[in-house]
Structures are given as C-alpha cells and as structure tokens.
Amino acid sequence: MSIRKRLILSNIAMILIPVISLFLIEIVIGYILFVAFQGNMDEVNVNSFMQIRFTAIGGVLILTNGLLTYYVSKSIIQPISKLSTAARRISTGDLEYSVKSDKKDELGELSNNFENMRLQLKEAEKAQEAYEKNRQELIAQISHDLKTPLTSIKGYVQGIQDGVANTPEKLEHYTETIYQTANDMNELIDELFLYSKLDLQQEKLQFEEVDLYAFFVDFIEEMSFFLEKKNGKANLSAEKAENYIVHADREKIRRVVLNIIQNSMKYMKEEPQKIQVSLENSENEVVVEIKDNGSGIDEADIPFIFNNFYRTDASRNSETGGSGLGLSIVKKIIQAHGGTVWAKSQLHKGSSIYFTLKKAV
C-alpha cells in the first residue's frame, strides 16, 4: 500500500474509530447504568455517567491516535533510517550493507532503487580493481617487451664498439640484427598505440559498405604470393551469388584479417601451409571463419587468446611470441563494429578464428 493511501486511511480511521467507539460506549454505559439504577438516576448518578463517558472517549482518542501514529510513523521512519545508515556506510566505502525491500510503497521502491545503485557501485568497484590490476600487468608486460629488444640492441652496439664485429660479414649481421630489433620495437609501439586508442574508444572508424566476397578474393590473391614460397595456399569458401555486403571500416577489417593470418602463420611449421576463409550468411550478419592447419591451441588457452599480451607460447621467443596484442586488437576492432569474435581449436589439427559483422541495411 502506498504511503499516500496509508495516510488517508489513517486519518479516516482517526475519525471513524472514535465516533464508532463513542456510539458503543454510550450504549454500553447507558445500558449498565439503566439496569443498575433501574431507570432512577439522580443528579449524582448523571454526573458519574458523564465522567465515565468523557474518560472513555478521551481514552479511545488517545489510544487510537497513539496506535495509528506509531504504526504510520514506524512504517515510514524505519525505512528512512535504514536508507540513512546505508548512505553513511556507502560514503565510507562500505558497499556490503543491503537495503533491499519487499514493500510495495514509495519507500520500498526507493529502497530497491538504492539497492540497485549499491550493487552497481559494487560492480563498478570490482571493475575498477580488475582494470587497475590489468593496467599494472600491462605496464609490466610493456616494460618487459621493450626492455628485451633494447638490451639486445645495446649488446650488439657494444659489440661493434668493442671491435667484436671485426669482419664485414659480422658487421653486416650485427647492423641487420639491430635494424630488425628496432623495427620490431617500432611495430610493438604502433600496436600499443592502436590498442590504447581502441581501448579508450578514440579510434574513429570510417564505415562504408564492404563486399566481403570481393574483399577476400583480393586479399587471398595477395596472400597467395607469400604462401607459395612455403608451398602453401589460401582458399575462399563462399557462395558468389550470396549477399556478403557489410557495414564496416575496410582498413580496420583488413587489419583484423592480417592479424589473424599472421598469428596463424607463426604456428604453421609443417608444409604445405593452408589458410581457409569461409563466409556464412545469416539474416542480419555475416560470419567469417579463418582456418589454418597449424599446431592448434590447447583447450585451456582458448578462453584467453584474445586477452592483451597473452601468449600460448610461454617462452615468449621472437619467432612465435610476437607482441601479444594481435588478437587483442582483433577483438577490440570487431567489438567496435558491434560484432563478436571467438575461436575453436584442437591440438595438432589447426585452429579457426570466427568473427561476425553486421550486414549493410
């Protein structure tokens, strides 16, 4: 019952109960006195009757008003007091004090809204803790991935300065290694910059209508040149007559596909290397599958491969380690497009990366 209805009924009861009580008191006392004195009432008896009458009426009024006031005030003051306590505890950082209410009045609704706010603050606090932990891990990982190549560069430069590279061949090897290491650092910094912009939603997407069938025909033609060197090949599986036009940023989707394929190629040791791209239509989106014949991913690693800096290769070597941001960037870009990304894999049987893109209206 709402507080408004409760107050109205309380006021009505404060009027009706005394009136009804007065009526009943008049009847009961009148009957008792009439029977007791057999209808012969002198002035003293009349005065006694009036005193009893007014005393009873006063008692009824006091009792009625007291009980109704106590009931109404209790039903209002207790929830307000609980909300006040909750607000005070939340202000000190204590988010464990629940004010959930099963009452159907305005204060019950207010308490439940306050409870929802408390739960949201609690979730926000957990998210902030996770974000802070992730930030600290990110800084540690960036420090590691930048320090390692810097140490390598310093070592080779020191070798040149000390005359270790005393032949043209050694000097060329040292300078080539320094250049390649510096180039790897530059790529890492570029990926860090892109990842941070995507994470902060500061990377603007240039949406347009993209025909994924034509897009992958061109992309696979480019990829075939590199795969042929390793006796490999790339294929596209799709129905040419189907509609694969999506609303997307062409360059960002190119980055997604390139990152996935580069990640796949690091783990395809046996020849021939095979990349299979498949397109599947649904009512509102296109599902893209990029499958390889690499070494596969352990089932325990699959839920984490899209996390930043996660590597299935614990050695973090330069051959397979990479920056650890490739698939994280893939996830960020696809999410920015309103799509989803996931993976399926079996050890020694290859891996498949899937992502969805919304169809152009």
Side-chain angles (χ1 to χ4, degrees):
M1 185 186 298
S2 69
I3 293 175
R4 182 171 178 270
K5 288 182 179 179
R6 202 180 304 159
L7 290 173
I8 291 173
L9 290 176
S10 175
N11 288 329
I12 292 173
M14 286 183 183
I15 297 172
L16 289 180
I17 291 176
V19 170
I20 295 172
S21 299
L22 176 60
F23 180 72
L24 293 174
I25 288 169
E26 290 279 357
I27 293 174
V28 172
I29 295 177
Y31 176 78
I32 292 173
L33 290 176
F34 183 81
V35 172
F37 296 101
Q38 298 180 351
N40 300 316
M41 295 180 62
D42 56 20
E43 186 177 347
V44 175
N45 293 331
V46 171
N47 290 335
S48 298
F49 169 76
M50 296 301 293
Q51 288 177 357
I52 295 172
R53 178 187 180 195
F54 284 118
T55 301
I57 292 171
V60 168
L61 288 173
I62 293 171
L63 185 63
T64 302
N65 281 273
L67 289 174
L68 290 174
T69 301
Y70 173 76
Y71 167 74
V72 173
S73 62
K74 181 181 177 182
S75 66
I76 295 175
I77 291 174
Q78 277 191 345
I80 291 176
S81 178
K82 194 174 182 181
L83 283 171
S84 177
T85 302
R88 184 171 61 255
R89 293 179 64 167
I90 287 174
S91 67
T92 61
D94 180 5
L95 298 176
E96 301 301 324
Y97 188 76
S98 175
V99 289
K100 187 176 181 181
S101 174
D102 57 358
K103 295 183 180 297
K104 304 301 181 182
D105 58 16
E106 293 86 347
L107 285 174
E109 183 179 354
L110 177 61
S111 296
N112 289 328
N113 288 337
F114 201 91
E115 174 71 4
N116 290 334
M117 182 192 71
R118 182 188 71 85
L119 294 175
Q120 289 173 7
L121 286 172
K122 195 172 180 180
E123 288 299 317
E125 184 180 54
K126 289 181 180 179
Q128 180 63 30
E129 290 175 356
Y131 176 82
E132 182 62 23
K133 182 180 178 182
N134 184 66
R135 186 186 67 83
Q136 292 174 355
E137 290 177 352
L138 186 62
I139 291 172
Q141 290 161 342
I142 291 171
S143 300
H144 176 277
D145 285 3
L146 289 178
K147 186 176 181 179
T148 301
L150 278 173
T151 302
S152 177
I153 290 173
K154 287 172 65 179
Y156 280 104
V157 170
Q158 187 68 45
I160 294 173
Q161 290 175 337
D162 293 343
V164 177
N166 50 14
T167 65
E169 292 78 12
K170 282 187 177 181
L171 182 61
E172 182 180 358
H173 171 69
Y174 274 43
T175 54
E176 178 63 27
T177 303
I178 291 170
Y179 175 81
Q180 186 59 48
T181 305
N183 190 58
D184 290 343
M185 286 181 64
N186 186 63
E187 289 182 1
L188 173 60
I189 292 169
D190 286 343
E191 289 201 323
L192 281 169
F193 184 62
L194 175 59
Y195 179 85
S196 64
K197 289 180 71 177
L198 289 167
D199 193 40
L200 296 171
Q201 299 181 351
Q202 293 179 348
E203 180 72 4
K204 294 183 179 179
L205 302 182
Q206 305 297 324
F207 286 99
E208 60 179 302
E209 290 188 357
V210 179
D211 185 344
L212 288 182
Y213 183 87
F215 173 88
F216 278 108
V217 166
D218 294 340
F219 193 92
I220 287 174
E221 187 176 345
E222 294 177 24
M223 282 297 304
S224 298
F225 174 76
F226 297 100
L227 287 172
E228 283 173 3
K229 295 180 181 180
K230 298 186 178 182
N231 194 29
K233 60 180 180 178
N235 294 318
L236 174 62
S237 175
E239 295 292 335
K240 189 175 181 180
E242 290 280 344
N243 174 21
Y244 299 111
I245 299 176
V246 297
H247 193 55
D249 183 318
R250 184 182 297 272
E251 289 305 314
K252 293 296 185 294
I253 296 304
R254 180 179 175 83
R255 181 63 179 264
V256 164
V257 177
L258 189 61
N259 281 13
I260 293 173
I261 292 178
Q262 285 178 342
N263 188 75
S264 296
M265 292 181 69
K266 287 187 296 186
Y267 298 97
M268 291 193 293
K269 304 301 181 184
E270 298 181 4
E271 297 184 4
Q273 295 183 350
K274 296 180 181 179
I275 297 289
Q276 176 76 38
V277 179
S278 301
L279 302 179
E280 183 180 341
N281 247 325
S282 69
E283 185 177 354
N284 300 314
E285 61 186 14
V286 177
V287 181
V288 180
E289 177 191 5
I290 301 178
K291 184 177 182 180
D292 63 53
N293 65 335
S295 58
I297 306 169
D298 190 274
E299 186 176 355
D301 289 319
I302 291 177
F304 308 103
I305 63 172
F306 296 102
N307 293 356
N308 54 297
F309 284 102
Y310 188 83
R311 295 186 176 101
T312 57
D313 178 12
S315 67
R316 300 171 73 92
N317 65 67
S318 59
E319 185 179 358
T320 61
S323 70
L325 285 172
L327 294 182
S328 300
I329 290 172
V330 167
K331 183 178 179 179
K332 291 289 183 183
I333 292 175
I334 295 301
Q335 286 180 337
H337 280 75
T340 54
V341 60
W342 68 97
K344 293 182 180 179
S345 183
Q346 285 184 299
L347 284 176
H348 314 300
K349 293 185 179 181
S351 304
S352 291
I353 304 293
Y354 299 82
F355 63 87
T356 64
L357 292 169
K358 293 179 181 179
K359 281 187 174 181
V361 179

